[in-house]
Amino acid sequence: MAENPKPHKKVHGIAHIFAAASYSWFGVKRLWGETAFCQELLAGGFILALFAMIGAETHFFIFAILLILLTLAVEAINTAIEEIVDLVSPEWSLAAKHAKDLGSFAVFCMLCSNGIFVLVVTLVTFDWI
């Protein structure tokens, strides 16, 4: 097995927290270039604005924020899958297509979850159900 040419220095304590935060920040910067990420972020803001306009209860806001964050996390994982697949399999392959399609399906499921939640909260808030 080949040795890692540039070993990472072991980081402990508070420095570890700052290192982890910087990795997350670079991940957000990478995602910022993704159209889907920006659209999902915008949709999340729309959902929160809609809840404010209709007077949704506080616990609905909290759950909406959690769903929005989960959606963004799944989008990040999907983007990571796409990056790895493109690196490992630069030519077209059925396995690469399947991996990308599965990642996209995961994002689609999260978007559907958000949509269903918004519909239910709206119906509950207006006492329609």
Side-chain angles (χ1 to χ4, degrees):
M1 188 166 163
E3 193 174 317
N4 187 354
K6 188 177 179 184
H8 291 287
K9 183 178 169 187
K10 203 69 160 158
V11 182
H12 300 286
I14 193 84
H16 179 73
I17 294 170
F18 285 115
S22 73
Y23 303 144
S24 297
W25 175 248
F26 288 122
V28 170
K29 285 174 60 175
R30 166 59 187 90
L31 278 173
W32 193 252
E34 290 287 320
T35 303
F37 176 79
C38 294
Q39 291 170 342
E40 291 156 1
L41 201 56
L42 186 64
F46 174 77
I47 289 169
L48 296 176
L50 174 68
F51 282 10
M53 286 181 355
I54 67 172
E57 295 180 27
T58 305
H59 63 277
F60 290 140
F61 276 95
I62 294 167
F63 197 74
I65 290 168
L66 291 174
L67 268 178
I68 292 164
L69 288 173
L70 276 172
T71 302
L72 297 176
V74 170
E75 180 63 45
I77 292 168
N78 181 45
T79 301
I81 289 168
E82 290 177 354
E83 295 252 347
I84 292 168
V85 166
D86 289 344
L87 178 67
V88 173
S89 181
E91 301 297 321
W92 187 91
S93 76
L94 186 58
K97 179 188 181 318
H98 287 167
K100 289 183 173 189
D101 289 348
L102 289 167
S104 294
F105 178 67
V107 173
F108 176 74
C109 289
M110 286 305 306
L111 294 175
C112 289
S113 298
N114 279 275
I116 292 167
F117 180 68
V118 169
L119 179 63
V120 169
V121 169
T122 303
L123 294 174
V124 166
T125 301
F126 288 119
D127 288 327
W128 293 340
I129 59 169

